[in-house]
């Protein structure tokens, strides 16, 4: 697998391209207790997970801190989850503590499965106009043979994005749509995730945030009326009592020679007001990042901890975050 740290993302991103997401794994949960098990651990309502809708979800500790950000895909009677490769062992270890209560239900990584990230709507239309026409909003999904094609969040520049959850070999007709000349590296996909405001957990950010701090409720990742699940009390209280004082923002920094690591402090003067969650270096010698920052700090100039002379520019997200209009001085 190519080391992402040696690559830079295109600027602008390709209007039509696809990438193998080598750093993602597909987890299959199967058996009679599948829905009940997942309902008790994830922030999504399993009744809403259907062959035509594949929403995001989070799993959290009893203190409401997210250790898994994923998408749920209905595959027959089973449910599939996407996991970062570097967190797969930790996530599955956490989930197995609860899975043991559901006899006959199992959880295994899909050996012949992979996820392809797709930029632009040209490739989905090559798979079939009737297929593409069913994918209008984030989370819309359609079964394509034995695979699943899912509309994900567009970038802030309105670049359409999709994921193909490939289970086994593509048919000759399906493979023909994935032209080798349009294959790109996964750093461009990571850049598109940042441009779409989609956070990803890493070993450094594991169990550091309540899902709302990562805007997960605004990308269909939290169902506030589904009932009890691990961490639900903290997550619901933060939502219904308006206690969210920091959340995910998108920034650009010009002239930064390397992408900041997860956890790099965001400062207002000499005061730490947030930290980088994900970042990527672009071909124009800038970086873009997603960072969790206190709402009352973003009105003034901000900079990375190791670049006090470079002011970060706040960039738009493709979705609304009403909580970021707050000006309360109390931190969460």
């Amino acid at each position: 697998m190519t080391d992402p740290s040696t690559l830079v993302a295109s600027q602008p991103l390709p209007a039509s391209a696809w990438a193998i997401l080598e750093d993602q794994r597909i987890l299959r949960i199967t058996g009679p207790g599948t829905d009940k098990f997942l309902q008790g651990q994830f922030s999504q309502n399993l009744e809403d997970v259907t062959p035509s809708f594949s929403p995001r979800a989070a799993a959290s500790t009893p203190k409401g801190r997210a250790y898994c950000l994923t998408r749920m895909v209905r595959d027959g009677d089973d449910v599939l989850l996407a996991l970062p490769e570097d967190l797969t062992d930790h996530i599955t270890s956490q989930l197995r503590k609860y899975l043991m209560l559901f006899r006959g239900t199992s959880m295994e990584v899909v050996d012949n499965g992979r996820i392809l990230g797709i930029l632009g709507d040209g490739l989905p239309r090559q798979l079939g106009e009737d297929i593409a026409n069913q994918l209008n909003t984030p989370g819309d999904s359609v079964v394509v043979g034995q695979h699943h094609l899912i509309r994900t969040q567009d970038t802030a520049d309105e670049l359409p994005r999709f994921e193909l959850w490939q289970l086994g070999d593509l048919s000759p007709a399906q493979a023909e749509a994935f032209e080798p000349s349009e294959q790109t590296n996964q750093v461009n996909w990571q850049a598109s995730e940042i441009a779409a405001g989609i956070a990803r957990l890493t070993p450094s950010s594991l169990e550091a945030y309540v899902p709302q701090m990562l805007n997960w409720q605004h990308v269909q990742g939290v169902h506030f009326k589904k009932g009890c699940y691990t961490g639900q009390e903290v997550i619901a209280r933060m939502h219904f009592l308006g206690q969210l004082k920091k959340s995910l923002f998108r920034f650009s920094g010009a002239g930064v020679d390397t992408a900041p690591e997860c956890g790099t402090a965001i400062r207002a003067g000499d005061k730490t007001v947030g930290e980088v969650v994900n970042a990527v270096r672009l071909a124009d010698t800038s970086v873009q990042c997603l960072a969790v920052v206190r709402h009352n700090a973003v009105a003034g100039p901000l900079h990375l901890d190791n670049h006090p002379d470079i002011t970060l520019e706040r960039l738009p997200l493709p979705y609304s975050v009403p909580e970021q209009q707050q000006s309360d001085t109390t931190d969460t």
Side-chain angles (χ1 to χ4, degrees):
M1 184 170 66
T2 304
D3 180 2
S5 66
T6 66
L7 301 174
V8 297
S10 303
Q11 185 68 3
L13 290 169
S16 180
W18 62 276
I20 301 171
L21 307 188
E22 300 177 42
D23 56 354
Q24 295 287 303
R25 294 292 176 264
I26 298 176
L27 189 71
R28 179 183 295 277
I29 296 88
T30 184
T34 293
D35 280 28
K36 190 173 181 180
F37 160 60
L38 295 173
Q39 186 79 356
Q41 298 307 315
F42 284 86
S43 59
Q44 192 52 253
N45 184 12
L46 268 295
E47 291 183 357
D48 294 340
V49 182
T50 68
S52 61
F53 186 59
S54 303
R56 298 186 186 275
S60 302
T61 67
K63 294 183 178 180
R65 301 284 162 158
Y67 66 84
C68 177
L69 300 179
T70 188
R71 182 187 298 282
M72 291 182 158
V73 175
R74 182 74 66 179
D75 186 56
D77 293 330
D78 302 345
V79 174
L80 308 176
L81 306 177
L83 304 183
E85 182 180 41
D86 56 359
L87 295 181
T88 295
D89 288 347
H90 178 85
I91 292 170
T92 54
S93 177
Q94 291 288 94
L95 291 175
R96 286 191 196 283
K97 297 175 184 178
Y98 303 94
L99 182 64
M100 61 185 297
L101 302 174
F102 297 87
R103 182 173 299 180
T105 300
S106 62
M107 176 176 63
E108 299 293 341
V109 172
V110 180
D111 290 334
N112 62 344
R114 65 178 184 175
I115 299 177
L116 307 180
I118 301 169
L119 301 177
D121 58 8
L123 193 155
R125 295 199 177 280
Q126 290 183 53
L127 293 172
E129 285 290 336
D130 57 331
I131 292 173
N133 290 338
Q134 297 178 58
L135 304 173
N136 299 308
T137 59
D140 287 351
S141 61
V142 62
V143 178
V144 183
Q146 61 183 326
H147 319 294
H148 299 270
L149 184 62
I150 304 159
R151 180 71 179 258
T152 187
Q153 183 70 54
D154 294 355
T155 69
D157 293 328
E158 300 183 343
L159 176 64
R161 303 191 315 134
F162 304 81
E163 296 171 357
L164 181 75
W165 290 38
Q166 183 184 340
L167 305 174
D169 295 334
L170 297 174
S171 70
Q174 293 164 352
E176 187 176 348
F178 290 87
E179 298 180 11
S181 62
E182 291 198 346
Q183 183 173 358
T184 188
N185 58 61
Q186 67 180 28
V187 173
N188 275 339
W189 180 259
Q190 292 167 359
S192 80
E193 289 277 87
I194 289 173
I198 304 299
R200 173 177 171 169
L201 293 178
T202 67
S204 299
S205 56
L206 197 65
E207 300 180 13
Y209 304 106
V210 174
Q212 293 102 301
M213 296 178 186
L214 301 170
N215 296 354
W216 217 238
Q217 75 279 31
H218 298 303
V219 293
Q220 302 174 321
V222 182
H223 193 293
F224 289 109
K225 298 181 180 179
K226 62 161 283 185
C228 294
Y229 57 94
T230 302
Q232 182 263 348
E233 183 178 352
V234 174
I235 293 168
R237 183 168 64 244
M238 180 171 286
H239 173 70
F240 290 111
L241 298 183
Q243 296 176 339
L244 186 66
K245 307 305 177 188
K246 57 184 177 182
S247 60
L248 197 72
F249 292 81
R250 177 175 166 237
F251 296 102
S252 174
V256 181
D257 53 1
T258 58
E261 295 182 357
C262 175
T264 298
I266 303 290
R267 296 188 180 276
D270 59 358
K271 185 176 182 181
T272 298
V273 296
E275 57 279 330
V276 172
V277 176
N278 306 118
V280 67
R281 188 159 58 106
L282 304 180
D284 63 358
T285 70
S286 69
V287 298
Q288 283 193 22
C289 67
L290 296 175
V292 172
V293 179
R294 290 177 52 175
H295 297 156
N296 63 348
V298 294
L302 302 175
H303 62 84
L304 294 169
D305 183 35
N306 50 350
H307 291 282
D309 55 330
I310 298 176
T311 300
L312 293 174
E313 176 188 0
R314 182 177 171 185
L315 300 178
L317 294 168
Y319 50 79
S320 175
V321 187
E323 297 92 339
Q324 293 181 353
Q325 305 305 316
Q326 297 178 15
S327 59
D328 197 309
T329 59
T330 303
D331 199 358
T332 300

